[in-house]
Structure formats: structure tokens, C-alpha cells
Amino acid sequence: MSTEKLALTTNSDARKPAPAGGAHNALAADLTRLLGPRKVLSNLSERLNYRYDAIQFGATPLAVVLPESTGDVVAAVRAARAAGVPIVGRGAASGLSGGAAPTEPGLVISFTRMTRLTIHPERREAQAQAGVITLAVTEAARPHGLIYPPDPASFRTSTIGGNLAENAGGPMCFKYGVTGDYVRALSFVDADGEEHHVTRDAFDLAGLLIGSEGTLGLITEATLRLIPPAPHTRTLMAHFPEVGACAEAVSAAIAAGAVPSKLEFMDRACTNAVEDYLNLGLPRDAEAVLLVDTDGDDLDTVQGELQLVADACERAGGTVRRAATDAEGAALWRARRSVSPALGRIRPQRMNEDIVVPRSALPDVVREIRALGDASPFHLVQFGHIGDGNLHPNILFDPRKEDTHAVHDLAHDIALVAIRHGGVLSGEHGIGSMKRDFMTDAVDPATLKALWNVKRALDPHHALNPGKILPAEGVDR
Amino acid sequence: MSTEKLALTTNSDARKPAPAGGAHNALAADLTRLLGPRKVLSNLSERLNYRYDAIQFGATPLAVVLPESTGDVVAAVRAARAAGVPIVGRGAASGLSGGAAPTEPGLVISFTRMTRLTIHPERREAQAQAGVITLAVTEAARPHGLIYPPDPASFRTSTIGGNLAENAGGPMCFKYGVTGDYVRALSFVDADGEEHHVTRDAFDLAGLLIGSEGTLGLITEATLRLIPPAPHTRTLMAHFPEVGACAEAVSAAIAAGAVPSKLEFMDRACTNAVEDYLNLGLPRDAEAVLLVDTDGDDLDTVQGELQLVADACERAGGTVRRAATDAEGAALWRARRSVSPALGRIRPQRMNEDIVVPRSALPDVVREIRALGDASPFHLVQFGHIGDGNLHPNILFDPRKEDTHAVHDLAHDIALVAIRHGGVLSGEHGIGSMKRDFMTDAVDPATLKALWNVKRALDPHHALNPGKILPAEGVDR
């Protein structure tokens, strides 16, 4: 474990004026000359908007490029490399691990204008540039009887490029898989400004890029697999007097043969945060709330699977409420989708973990993390896609009043609970800068060395999104 | 394109005596001292059996190790590295691209004794060592109501380690995905003899190893995802007076909304080879035979999907025959499973291609390849998992009587047809040594350089399975 603590917030840095002279003016001027003024942001007030993602503040970029083509990306990368500054790719910046927040001043390439999207119904494929909004893929595919399943909570704003960089999941990923499972091919620009087009062949370079958070290359476009939507969906909510009982119900339901299409968990603190925000009538006294969808071609099977879940919940001591209509189901899901804004009202900042543990370990893991939270001075909430063991313990805090080192230590203790139970650090949000220090606990030194060797192979000058994923002690330059 | 032609056969080499003195004796002696005589094969007659896969002859190994544990693999790798000889991993050697056939004398590590297999029904996972036979996973999982879907044609003999190394597919992969889609974690031994355990996290090193044919590391064990089998399956066979019409029917059926669980195509030459071998009553005069399964939870949907396929076949001019019983369905599938042995009876050797093209390009691709075959002096057959555009044009030849350079040229022309139609070289069998030369047509120089950089990052001394996947002109050592 590094002795150097993570800067959980750089708010103080953000209030400092950004560097104004020399390098960045030269870079911004160079980029403006190359790409024209419409595609380059160089004013401080503009650049300040590109220093954070949805959870983490970073360094103010020296310049921001808004490319409209792969050619623009190539030109921007080459200019940044010539200027010797790092390059950070950015989609909608709705990420929750600091992946798009620069750790040092440099060039930010924001893909929001690269939004070309073509549906090929006969191939069941979408061709999407990096800036296409996630939801837009399904919206364009639906008239052809197809959908794009990956559904991160931010899917109304997040971009395909960001989803690919973080290998984003979502409620549907338990049954349908994560972003990477839907990628047939992708194009990327490497650290030298070379363009590549790769399929999922031998030496799966595409797969290596997916989830690498822009540290190995900048994804510019992807070929995505589409599927027909299930015709039938049923929803239930269950609440439990005890957190571990909820996790036990999930394990029992899946062991009994249910494959829910969505399976989401919120603890009492989380439920109350949502209830304070929206007043939906959620059970405030329950220690755990479970939201479950089953879906499929056959209504009897769909209802049968929901019954398996209901039985498991009741046997574990839960109270089950079935949605009578699709509208009631949608209302129940509104609770889960509102967790992030609801938590933002309690404390201005949060450390969001993304652990994945074996499903059978869930009861113990949820209880142990609850105990860590209760023993700490912080507001800790737990929620997540509990079906695949993906939990999001969140530590809510105010960096102006609370000790960010203590937040870091609690987050580290939570990560160690996951690792002790055979789990991993990140299911869908990436490692970013936020969980980077914990990688030394999760990955053995020989494998970290192999990861660093791969990083150096594709980005020898360490120009792409420095300070993400790989802990600094692995550096040997 | 390299001017150096692929050695399509090294039969002549295989008839030469293997090197007898010096290095290999020292290596075999060293290994025997380290691992005991039971785990090391050093006699020429034993070693000769480890020079080929199911399609390609290679160099006779200096020594063969049959490890019983990861520790044995580590010791063997270190001994081979100390002796300065290359290392080739091997499962059942049922591969069809030369992946397990050594290109130069060295150490072969044959994983057939590493067969530990544990099913975790509550996690829907199997933990399998590299030598576990593919079918054994489903056989062990079935009592728990689970299956392991990847079903390469050789699944009764092939091993999980070999399937992972080649990222094997099979008839079910159109609906259910290939081997890599079922891997949650894996362990491997690297070129330095270091052991690694990796999950599918940021920097998907596991994904990079899958399909890399033992050129980046030796996979020793994997955690595999299991799924419940579909309760209903229906089968049909259709035959067509013209090859392109069959491909058109497939495209039309899928565009209409059918997601068959299996979708296999055989051309007339292939059907007649099987009929000569087994006399199953296949339509000898048909230019194309299509075999289709639909499966799912809902029998009406399953039958509805089969009807969509039947309609599309008939509209394209095909004749449809539905299997009335499961036994009749199994009999139809026996035809497809017998293709490899049937072809082996016609000519002693074959060049097996594994192209994948966009489904909409299938009619043209199948017709163009047929025309190339007809214009050549060789026996050319086509079959494959036509649902995902994965075709196996096979050139049958006798290396004692026919010009292997002409075989190579025809294979190259076929690869170029695929690439011209936006396809790739390998869907499930890997590149191996057999299609390595064609990589320069399929992959641009900048991406080949990136692949070489990744190779060097993980295997800097080029010790692991040299001569596979990456064309030699990329080497810059």
C-alpha cells in the first residue's frame, strides 16, 4: 500500500487560478491554428468545466479540444505530444471513479461532438462514434425491434466512449452482460496519433482497450451488438428487517434457478436518502430494499422466476410487493435511479466503491461493511447490482469539514473486506484515480508488473491519462 | 504479404530424425531431475506424438512435460528458459490452425493431466484446470441444472486450456457467445515462470490471454460461467439448389427476428463427403444444406422462430424438413459433427479457413469462394456457423502429389475475399501458423506494431509459441 494518500478532493486546487502563461497558451494556439477556433476551448472559464467527472475534481486542463472527426483527434494527440503534455479523453464525465478527471494539467479531448450513429438491423449492429449518448443507441434501434442492453444509471447522459473506457455495467448486466460484451469492433487513436481499427480477434486489443480508461488509447468509434428486447417483464420490491437477510434471499433465489434481468439493492440509509428527496412511499424502517425484474419470451417462465425470487425473499424474512402494472414497475425503478442525486443532497462529496464479491459471500460482506460504517464518523450507504455481487458502498462527506484521509482509510478497509472474501475492486465504474491505491492489495506484484509492461508497450511515454488504474509504485521508468 | 510461403506441411521434416544430442538431452535430463521421470517424455517415439495438432505438422519437441500442478508448469517454464528453448502449450491438440504445433524444436507442455474440475452451483461457476475436457464441464454441471455452452466440434476431446488459447466457438456461439464470453477469471504462468491470477477488470489481461494461442502466457486454470439450459429445442434441415440462396435465407431469417441457437451450413461437396462416410440420407444433389436449432423457455416462441427460418428458406427456394422428434434432430446434427472425419477420408491434409464476414455479405462471399474453388485444381468444401458469418472454406490436398504453394495461394485468395467484404481471418480456430501470413492483409501496419509491442511486453525474449499469429515482418528484435 502506498504511503502517499489519494487526494480524494482537489477542491482547494480547483479554487487556485490555473496556470496562465507559456505552455498552455502555446498548446491552445497551436491547436486553434490546426483545428480552427470552433473546436478548441482555451479560456480559463471554459477549461474549468473540464477538470472533473461526476465524483472527483482534477487539474484544470491547459486546453480542451472538441473533435468532430477522427482526424481532429489525431491532430490533437500529435499536438499534445509535441508539447509534451498528457492527454485525457472525456465523454459526458458522468463517471464515478475519477477516470475523466485529469491528474495533471494537459489536453482534454471531449468527444461530445462525435455523435454519428448508424443502425444496421440486418447485422443487428450499431456503428456509434464515441460521443453518442448511450440511450440514443437503443432509441435508434427500437424501431427495428432491437435494443442495446448495457444501461449504466447515467445512460441518459453518458456516452458510448465513456462506457467503453470504463466497461460500464448497469442493472441489466447481471443477465445481459456489460458494455464489453456488446463490442464487436472498435477504432482508437494511439499515443502517437496513429488510428487503429480492431476486431475481437486473436490478441484481443479491442478488449484490452475496453475498461482501460483512456490509458492505452482513445476510443473514437465502436461496432455494437444489438439484441431483440424481451416481450415480457415483471417487477417486485421486497424489504427486509436486516441487511444480510436481503443478500441471503438473493443468493437463494439465484441458486433456485432465477435469472432476474435486474436485481438491485438499497440499504436503509440509501432508501431514506431517496425518500427524503422524492417521497415515493418507500419503507423507511426496512434495513434493506430489493428491486427485481424478471424478463423473457414466455410470460409463465417470467412469472415463475419472479415467484422463485418472492419465495426466497419471504423465506429470508422479507416482505414482498409485486408491481401490478408496468407503470407501477417503472415507479419502483425510479427509486433506484434517483440514488445518486439523492446522496448528493446529504453531503457535497462521496467516495463511491464498486466492489464485486462472490454472491455466496454477499451476506457477510454487506454486514461487515455496515459494521465498518457504523463504527466510523461518516455517513455510509450501500446499494448496487447485487445479482452479480456488485456493491456500491458510498462514503458521504464534506471535504471542508471532514478528514479526507479518514475517508480514504475507511474506503481502503471496505476494499479489503471485498478482497478478503475473494472479490475485486471494480465491477463497472473503473479504478480511475479513486481506487488506484487499492490495486496493490487486489493485484499481486508480478501481475501489476505485467500490467505496467502492457501500459508501456502501448503508451511508452506515459502520455495517456496518467495517474489512473495502475498504482505509482509499479512505475519503473 | 511475406514473400516467404507458409510451410503448409512439414511432413518431410517429420520424417527426418529429430535432433538427438546436446541441448535436448540436457533439457530432458534437467526436467526429469526437477519433476521426476513420470512427468517427462524424452524418447523420440514419445516426442514425435507431440509435434502436430489436428491439421498441421510441426517440429519434434526436444522434451515434453506432462504437469500435474501449476508448480510443475512453473518449473518446466524456468527450465526451458534456462536452456534457451521455446515453449509451446498443448491441450488435446484438436486445433485447426497449427496453434499447438511447434514451429521449432523446444519444450511442449501438455496439460492433459491437469484435470481438476469443481462446480459451484450457487455461483453458477465451474473452476477448471487447463486439461479438463470441454464436455466434462457440462457433464459435471448438468446435475445442478446448468450447462457450459461453448461447443467446439471437438468438444468430446478438446480441453478448456486449448479452447481458451484459441477462443473457440461452436454451433451454439451465434446465440450464446464464444469461450471468452464465459471466462470470469483465469490463472496463467508467464514467460518468466511467474504465476498470475487475473479477473476481467480494468486492463483485461485475462481477455488478452484468451485467444492468444499461448504466445503471451500459459493458461493453467479458469473460472467459467455456467447457465441453465433452454428447456425447449426444435430442429430443421433445409436444402437449396444454389449456395448463395442458402446464405440469403439465413440473412433474411435473422433480419426477420429469429435468433437460432445453432445455424450451420454445408455445401454440396461437404454434404457428399459426409454422405460417403456415413450414408445418412442427406440430399446429395443440393448445392447447400442448412441445419438450424431454435431454443428457449417458451415452446411457442421456439416454434415461431423455427417457422421464421422455414419461411425464409422456402422464400429463397429451399426445401425444408423439420425434425419430428429430439432423436431425429440429433441424427441431423450427426451429419454436421462428422464433417472433419469425412473430409480426412478424401485427402490426407487440408487447409482450414475460419473467416468471419458480415452476414449481409454472405451470399456474395459464398459464391465468390465457390468460384475460386471451381477454378482451382483442388477439392474445396465450405461449411460453418453461418449465423454469425463464420465460414470454414477447406482446401483438401495431398502434400505428396499436389503443390502446397498453390494451396497457400488459393487460401490467400479466399482470405482476401473475406477482407474485401469487411470480414476477418479467424472466428474460432485462431490464426496459428496457418493463417499467420494473411495477417498483413487483415491488420494495418500500425496495429500490427501495437500487437508486437504487446507481445514483447509480456514475452520479451519471444519464448512462448514462436511463429504463431503475428507475421514475422513485424519482428524488430
Side-chain angles (χ1 to χ4, degrees), chain A residues 121-124 144 167 174-175 181 184 188 190 192 194-205 207-208 210-213 215-216 225 228 251 253-259 295-299 301 305 358-360 424-427 430-431 439 443-444 446-455 457-458 469-470, chain B residues 121-124 144 167 174-175 181 184 188 190 192 194-205 207-208 210-213 215-216 225 228 251 253-259 295-299 301 305 358-360 424-427 430-431 439 443-444 446-455 457-458 469-470:
Chain A
E122 76 291 357
R123 300 185 194 176
R124 295 196 171 176
H144 305 282
N167 199 10
F174 169 58
K175 181 168 179 180
D181 295 320
R184 289 212 166 123
F188 71 97
D190 72 15
D192 291 328
E194 289 279 358
E195 192 184 342
H196 301 266
H197 178 75
V198 285
T199 53
R200 306 302 301 265
D201 262 30
F203 271 36
D204 186 6
L205 201 54
L208 189 64
I210 295 164
S212 74
E213 307 189 11
T215 63
L216 303 178
R225 188 165 61 90
S251 277
I254 294 170
V259 188
D295 75 2
D297 288 334
D298 176 34
L299 185 56
T301 307
E305 284 192 64
R359 214 152 39 220
S360 51
V424 299
L425 295 180
S426 173
I431 301 294
M439 283 286 276
V443 181
D444 65 89
T447 303
L448 271 182
K449 186 163 166 268
L451 294 175
W452 265 109
N453 286 343
V454 170
K455 164 73 174 170
L458 293 174
I469 305 181
L470 296 178
Chain B
E122 76 292 355
R123 299 184 192 177
R124 295 193 171 179
H144 305 283
N167 198 11
F174 169 57
K175 181 168 179 181
D181 294 321
R184 290 215 164 118
F188 71 97
D190 71 15
D192 291 328
E194 290 278 357
E195 192 184 341
H196 301 266
H197 178 75
V198 286
T199 54
R200 307 301 301 262
D201 263 30
F203 271 37
D204 186 5
L205 200 52
L208 189 63
I210 296 165
S212 73
E213 307 188 11
T215 62
L216 303 177
R225 189 164 62 88
S251 278
I254 293 169
V259 188
D295 75 2
D297 288 333
D298 177 32
L299 185 56
T301 306
E305 284 192 63
R359 213 154 37 221
S360 51
V424 300
L425 295 182
S426 173
I431 300 296
M439 284 286 277
V443 181
D444 64 89
T447 302
L448 271 183
K449 185 162 167 270
L451 294 175
W452 264 109
N453 286 343
V454 169
K455 165 72 175 172
L458 293 174
I469 305 181
L470 296 177

Side-chain angles (χ1 to χ4, degrees), chain A residues 196-329:
Chain A
H196 301 266
H197 178 75
V198 285
T199 53
R200 306 302 301 265
D201 262 30
F203 271 36
D204 186 6
L205 201 54
L208 189 64
L209 267 283
I210 295 164
S212 74
E213 307 189 11
T215 63
L216 303 178
L218 295 155
I219 296 170
T220 53
E221 190 159 0
T223 307
L224 304 171
R225 188 165 61 90
L226 306 172
I227 66 168
H232 302 289
T233 301
R234 288 296 180 270
T235 303
L236 69 72
M237 184 175 80
H239 59 90
F240 297 84
E242 199 265 322
V243 171
C246 171
E248 274 162 14
V250 168
S251 277
I254 294 170
V259 188
S261 56
K262 300 182 187 177
L263 196 53
E264 295 284 315
F265 151 77
M266 302 190 296
D267 76 355
R268 181 177 184 160
C270 185
T271 303
N272 278 279
V274 173
E275 199 54 18
D276 289 345
Y277 176 42
L278 292 176
N279 202 15
L280 297 168
L282 300 172
R284 281 185 180 273
D285 295 334
E287 286 297 325
V289 169
L290 192 64
L291 277 165
V292 181
D293 269 8
T294 56
D295 75 2
D297 288 334
D298 176 34
L299 185 56
D300 286 347
T301 307
V302 172
Q303 287 175 328
E305 284 192 64
L306 204 73
Q307 188 61 45
L308 287 176
V309 178
D311 292 346
C313 289
E314 281 167 357
R315 267 197 305 276
T319 306
V320 174
R321 175 178 148 198
R322 281 185 177 76
T325 63
D326 285 355
E328 198 182 326

Side-chain angles (χ1 to χ4, degrees), chain B residues 10 13-19 24 42-52 57-64 101-108:
Chain B
T10 53
D13 174 75
R15 283 191 294 268
K16 272 187 279 180
H24 90 279
S42 51
N43 290 341
L44 176 61
S45 58
E46 293 169 323
R47 288 183 284 117
L48 283 171
N49 292 315
Y50 291 82
R51 74 194 188 283
Y52 49 78
F57 278 85
T60 303
L62 300 173
V64 178
T103 55
E104 42 188 289
L107 173 66
V108 164

Side-chain angles (χ1 to χ4, degrees), chain B residues 337-409:
Chain B
R337 275 209 315 280
S338 307
V339 167
S340 275
L343 297 181
R345 296 171 73 245
I346 296 175
R347 289 287 186 282
Q349 201 147 358
R350 57 188 172 118
M351 168 77 188
N352 174 58
E353 302 217 37
D354 182 33
I355 58 172
V356 184
V357 298
R359 213 154 37 221
S360 51
L362 274 174
D364 287 343
V365 167
V366 168
R367 284 187 198 113
E368 287 177 33
I369 293 174
R370 180 71 268 153
L372 285 173
D374 290 346
S376 84
F378 298 105
H379 205 88
L380 182 135
V381 305
Q382 298 192 73
F383 57 96
H385 320 304
I386 199 166
D388 43 12
N390 187 191
L391 274 187
H392 300 313
N394 270 235
I395 309 165
L396 314 184
F397 65 102
D398 186 337
R400 293 161 301 189
K401 300 177 193 160
E402 288 169 301
D403 175 6
T404 57
H405 286 171
V407 173
H408 179 280
D409 289 344

Side-chain angles (χ1 to χ4, degrees), chain A residues 382-406:
Chain A
Q382 297 192 73
F383 57 96
H385 320 305
I386 200 167
D388 43 11
N390 187 194
L391 275 185
H392 300 312
N394 270 234
I395 309 165
L396 314 184
F397 65 102
D398 186 338
R400 293 162 302 191
K401 297 178 193 160
E402 287 169 302
D403 176 6
T404 57
H405 285 171

